[in-house]
């Protein structure tokens, strides 16, 4: 299959190969019509496939290497982005991006995980989105600056998990995430969270405490990846498809549980098929959410944030 297609997109892959073969031949009006017809068929098939994705297929879409990164959204939605580097304690973690920018003319702080996109060197440079303690401390340092200067925080979530290496444990990854949870819960600034890719475990939650949580249509958000869940519960990571269903990690599931507040629609076939349209769809939802949250006074905003996160513990509890 072509490198940009997923395992369940085989019908699309066949048509893409036909288009590629026709494109290599001399271009005639008839061939151009054939290519255009094939592209329309691809859109139709893709739309049908993506209307009936299983939880595991959504996991694959959320992990697609061509899915837009935080910097892709920064380039399309923000201006005057100035990156902030380093935690002032150990080093700079490239798996987390932080920086001040302007959104529709208003100053904001952007913070988010970065997996590296489809480029292998970038993936290694970004540690595949696995943030270390210094990444979370850098993010908190930047958020404290945003609080000081009265700027809203927009957090982009896309990480498999926090980095599980020995050096990460030595430098206090659990403490760094726990501190972020506490400080973000009380941060006196509007916080909008956007889960746009893979929201994995505490690594995601370390940047995800906010006033309003949006999740892309084909993103995932879970306490553990399906492979890890299957390995722990059944000692068989091959049962990942079953685990993905049991984890209830899709956007519709989480909206029903009240974990997220809104589902952001994606282009047909997922955000990786059209970065521009994906950014436009996010822009509409983000502007509305930021406007609502920013309109609240500080006391009301913090009280609503507190009640929002306290209520999450009631999921599945039946009062009797």
């Amino acid at each position: 299959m072509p490198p940009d297609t997923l395992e369940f997109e085989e019908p699309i892959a066949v048509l893409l190969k036909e288009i590629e073969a026709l494109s290599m031949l001399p271009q005639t009006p008839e061939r151009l019509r054939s290519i255009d017809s094939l592209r329309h068929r691809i859109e139709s098939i893709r739309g049908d496939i993506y209307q009936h994705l299983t939880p595991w297929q959504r996991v694959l879409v959320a992990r697609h290497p061509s899915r837009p990164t935080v910097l892709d959204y920064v380039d399309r939605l923000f201006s005057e982005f100035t990156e902030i580097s380093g935690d002032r304690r150990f080093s700079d973690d490239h798996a987390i991006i932080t920086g001040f920018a302007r959104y529709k003319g208003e100053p904001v702080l952007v913070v988010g995980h970065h997996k590296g996109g489809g480029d292998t060197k970038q993936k290694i440079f970004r540690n595949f989105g696995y943030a270390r303690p210094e990444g979370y401390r850098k993010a908190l340092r930047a958020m404290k600056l945003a609080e000081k200067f009265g700027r809203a925080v927009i957090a982009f979530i896309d990480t498999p998990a926090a980095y599980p290496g020995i050096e990460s444990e030595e430098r206090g990854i659990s403490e760094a995430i726990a501190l972020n949870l506490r400080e973000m819960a009380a941060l006196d600034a509007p916080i909008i969270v956007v889960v746009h890719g893979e929201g994995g475990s505490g690594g995601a939650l370390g940047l995800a405490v906010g006033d309003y949580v949006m999740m892309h249509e084909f993103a995932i958000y879970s306490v553990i990846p399906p492979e890890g869940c299957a390995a722990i519960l059944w000692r068989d990571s091959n049962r990942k498809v079953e685990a993905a269903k049991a984890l209830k990690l899709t956007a519709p599931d989480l909206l029903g549980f009240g974990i997220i507040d809104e589902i952001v629609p994606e282009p047909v076939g997922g955000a990786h098929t059209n970065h521009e349209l994906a950014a436009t769809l996010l822009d509409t939802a983000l502007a509305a959410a930021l406007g609502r949250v920013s309109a609240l006074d500080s006391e009301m905003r913090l009280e609503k944030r507190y009640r929002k996160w306290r209520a999450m513990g009631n999921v599945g509890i039946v009062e009797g």
Side-chain angles (χ1 to χ4, degrees):
M1 290 193 297
D4 289 337
T5 54
L6 299 168
E7 60 185 35
F8 61 85
E9 295 181 309
E10 187 172 352
I12 295 172
V14 172
L15 296 177
L16 287 173
K17 287 182 178 178
E18 287 188 40
I19 290 175
E20 183 180 5
L22 287 173
S23 299
M24 296 176 66
L25 298 173
Q27 298 300 292
T28 64
E30 184 178 353
R31 286 201 181 99
L32 290 174
R33 284 193 295 270
S34 296
I35 291 174
D36 190 53
S37 175
L38 288 170
R39 285 175 176 158
H40 280 91
R41 284 179 61 191
I42 287 174
E43 288 299 306
S44 176
I45 294 171
R46 184 175 273 149
D48 185 59
I49 289 174
Y50 275 74
Q51 283 181 358
H52 306 91
L53 292 183
T54 66
W56 174 247
Q57 288 170 341
R58 287 176 181 261
V59 172
L60 296 177
V61 176
R63 293 174 175 174
H64 197 288
S66 297
R67 202 164 174 83
T69 68
V70 57
L71 290 183
D72 288 323
Y73 287 118
V74 166
D75 289 342
R76 289 167 173 80
L77 300 181
F78 301 86
S79 61
E80 299 180 33
F81 179 70
T82 304
E83 187 170 356
I84 297 173
S85 301
D87 66 343
R88 297 296 186 266
R89 293 176 62 178
F90 184 77
S91 69
D92 186 33
D93 185 356
H94 303 297
I96 288 183
I97 295 289
T98 61
F100 286 116
R102 288 188 178 274
Y103 178 65
K104 300 189 182 300
E106 294 297 319
V108 298
L109 173 75
V110 177
V111 56
H113 304 92
H114 197 321
K115 285 184 174 181
D119 182 79
T120 302
K121 289 184 179 179
Q122 271 294 308
K123 287 180 180 179
I124 295 171
F125 179 70
R126 302 291 181 184
N127 200 32
F128 298 86
Y130 288 94
R132 297 178 171 88
E134 48 270 24
Y136 293 100
R137 290 171 181 142
K138 173 176 70 171
L140 183 57
R141 180 174 79 87
M143 286 187 280
K144 286 293 187 180
L145 284 173
E147 179 183 46
K148 179 178 180 179
F149 294 108
R151 300 189 176 190
V153 176
I154 302 175
F156 289 84
I157 310 302
D158 185 20
T159 179
Y163 184 61
I166 292 175
E167 66 271 29
S168 192
E169 297 293 343
E170 289 174 339
R171 297 198 292 273
I173 186 65
S174 297
E175 184 269 345
I177 292 174
L179 182 62
N180 275 29
L181 299 184
R182 187 190 75 184
E183 295 300 310
M184 290 185 76
L187 195 77
D188 191 6
I191 305 175
I192 305 297
V193 177
V194 182
V195 183
H196 64 100
E198 186 175 10
S201 190
L205 197 58
L207 297 184
V209 177
D211 301 295
Y212 196 85
V213 181
M214 299 189 293
M215 186 171 172
H216 275 66
E217 185 179 0
F218 302 120
I220 60 170
Y221 195 15
S222 174
V223 68
I224 190 172
E227 297 90 338
C229 176
I232 291 172
L233 292 183
W234 302 298
R235 299 186 184 278
D236 182 5
S237 60
N238 290 324
R239 295 180 69 176
K240 58 193 177 185
V241 176
E242 185 178 349
K245 182 178 180 181
L247 282 167
K248 304 296 183 184
L249 44 61
T250 70
D253 289 327
L254 296 170
L255 184 65
F257 291 141
I259 304 299
I260 64 170
D261 300 294
E262 180 181 354
I263 298 175
V264 180
E266 297 187 28
V268 175
H272 60 276
T273 63
N274 190 331
H275 289 197
E276 294 293 340
L277 182 54
T280 299
L281 293 169
L282 174 59
D283 188 29
T284 302
L286 182 58
L290 187 58
R292 288 193 298 269
V293 174
S294 298
L296 299 173
D297 64 68
S298 176
E299 184 177 352
M300 176 63 74
R301 185 171 59 246
L302 290 172
E303 177 65 19
K304 286 174 68 69
R305 188 187 303 166
Y306 171 79
R307 292 187 180 279
K308 171 184 174 61
W309 289 86
R310 286 285 293 179
M312 288 183 189
N314 294 329
V315 172
I317 296 177
V318 179
E319 296 183 3

